[in-house]
Every structure is written in structure tokens, then in C-alpha cells.
Amino acid sequence: DGGITQSPKYLFRKEGQNVTLSCEQNLNHDAMYWYRQDPGQGLRLIYYSQIVNDFQKGDIAEGYSVSREKKESFPLTVTSAQKNPTAFYLCASSPGGHTEAFFGQGTRLTVV
Amino acid sequence: GQQLNQSPQSMFIQEGEDVSMNCTSSSIFNTWLWYKQDPGEGPVLLIALYKAGELTSNGRLTAQFGITRKDSFLNISASIPSDVGIYFCAGLGNSGNTPLVFGKGTRLSVIA
């Protein structure tokens, strides 16, 4: 089936550790995005990529890093520099340029 | 970055009632999108609007692209329990070089 797969669904990490969230899509979409969602908040853009080997910072990029080595993959690393990493993380993709975005199921990260 | 004002923030309604929510912006948008997010899941695209004045339906859902291009409305008729969730509006600007801008969401609760 075509879609966007985020893994794992739930992730627990100790404070001070880096953690990488996976996002894979088989829709042949050019653009991919990472959003963060906190309770009662909307979706805040962390990073996005419109083409392989290129990405741009979103509104809240500090403490995060990404790579786009393959069209279908856009992993997000939450570094120890992120002050408040516990959140629900959503990956999305869109067909070409910035158009309708389609979302994965999300990863809930809890840092203890 | 740009912001969308989405209202109301939350709604409690009786099953069978109609629901209206809206989204406004200080900027003009070329595309308006409406998403629904079930608890613990990623948002799912409900309706996409591409032209000022456009009115589009998807089952019991109807959305409109405002004439000024600065607002959009979503109506749900005869609500049912599975309508519960968070509804997000999103807009895409003129340039096509910036990602979707999301509202903070309207949380809908349906009382049976």
C-alpha cells in the first residue's frame, strides 16, 4: 500500500540522549516535512525538504537535525540540545513543491 | 511565520447537530485545506479548495473558500460520534515557495 510510515509509534529516551525518528514514503513525493505537536497547540514546522540532499529550517528547528539522502526517507534527529523534546512528531509529504500534505501516523516521544 | 486564526478552539455539541468552524488570515492564500485528526493519529485531508468562492462537499462536510481569499469555513451536518477529533485548517500562499500554514485546530466533542 502507498503511504507514509513513521516508526516507532512510541519512543522513550533518557534526557541527554539523541534520538532519531524514522519517516519513509512510497508515494514518490518530492517534498517532505516534520512537524511537532504539543497538547492544545497546532502543528509547528521543524524542517522541510523539497529535493534530495537539500532541506530548510522551519519555525522551530533549534535542537533538531535532518537528512535527505534518499527521496523516500527523511529522518529527524532530536538532539540533546532540544530543551523540551517530549511531544508528538508528525511527518508529512507532498507531491511536488508545496501542495497538499499527507501525514504519517506520528511518533510520540517521551524523554524522561 | 504566517498564522491562521481558527475558531472556535473547542466545541461540545449534541449528536445530530450541525457544526461550523472557520479560519481567517491577514494574508491571501491560493489554497485552503481542511484536515481531521483522530486521537493519537496523523491528520487526514478532508477537503481541498483551490479557487475563491469555491464550495466543496465531502459527504456531510462542506467547506468554502472565502471570496477575499483570507478565510475559509467548514460545516459538518448532522454530527455523529465519530466526528470527534481535532479539525485543522491550512493555507498555501501565493508564492508557492513556503510550506502550508496551519491553524491551531478546533477540538470537536460530540455528546450522544
Side-chain angles (χ1 to χ4, degrees):
Chain A
D1 283 358
I4 303 166
T5 302
Q6 289 186 243
S7 61
K9 180 76 171 169
Y10 300 95
L11 192 53
F12 294 86
R13 277 295 181 269
K14 289 186 178 179
E15 195 172 337
Q17 290 182 334
N18 291 354
V19 60
T20 297
L21 281 59
S22 168
C23 179
E24 304 276 332
Q25 54 101 358
N26 59 6
L27 301 168
N28 199 33
H29 284 177
D30 289 320
M32 297 187 75
Y33 310 84
W34 275 105
Y35 291 90
R36 171 180 172 141
Q37 186 177 25
D38 294 287
Q41 299 285 327
L43 305 178
R44 293 186 290 169
L45 183 63
I46 304 172
Y47 268 99
Y48 64 98
S49 167
Q50 293 182 269
I51 196 169
V52 173
N53 292 324
D54 189 40
F55 47 83
Q56 283 77 43
K57 292 181 179 180
D59 299 320
I60 56 165
E62 187 175 346
Y64 299 98
S65 66
V66 294
S67 63
R68 187 90 186 274
E69 296 176 4
K70 299 185 295 181
K71 186 176 184 178
E72 57 270 23
S73 178
F74 192 40
L76 173 75
T77 297
V78 184
T79 75
S80 55
Q82 169 49 234
K83 301 266 187 296
N84 187 16
T86 294
F88 190 51
Y89 290 89
L90 287 160
C91 178
S93 69
S94 62
H98 296 302
T99 58
E100 301 92 331
F102 297 88
F103 285 85
Q105 299 279 60
T107 292
R108 185 166 300 281
L109 173 65
T110 303
V111 175
V112 295
Chain B
Q2 289 180 297
Q3 290 200 349
L4 296 182
N5 297 311
Q6 189 171 350
S7 65
Q9 283 187 327
S10 61
M11 304 179 75
F12 290 83
I13 61 167
Q14 293 279 353
E15 185 177 354
E17 287 184 353
D18 296 343
V19 173
S20 289
M21 59 190 78
N22 70 81
C23 216
T24 60
S25 169
S26 57
S27 306
I28 287 174
F29 286 109
N30 282 344
T31 300
W32 283 95
L33 306 172
W34 285 93
Y35 290 85
K36 183 196 177 197
Q37 184 181 30
D38 289 329
E41 303 293 329
V44 173
L45 182 63
L46 298 173
I47 293 179
L49 303 158
Y50 302 105
K51 202 164 61 172
E54 181 180 354
L55 188 71
T56 297
S57 292
N58 177 6
R60 293 179 296 105
L61 276 62
T62 301
Q64 184 161 26
F65 192 142
I67 292 288
T68 64
R69 296 166 66 193
K70 292 184 178 181
D71 57 7
S72 180
F73 305 86
L74 176 69
N75 296 316
I76 305 172
S77 62
S79 58
I80 58 178
S82 62
D83 290 334
V84 165
I86 304 175
Y87 292 81
F88 290 101
C89 61
L92 200 53
N94 272 340
S95 68
N97 291 326
T98 54
L100 284 172
V101 179
F102 281 86
K104 291 193 173 182
T106 294
R107 183 180 293 273
L108 179 64
S109 300
V110 179
I111 304 165

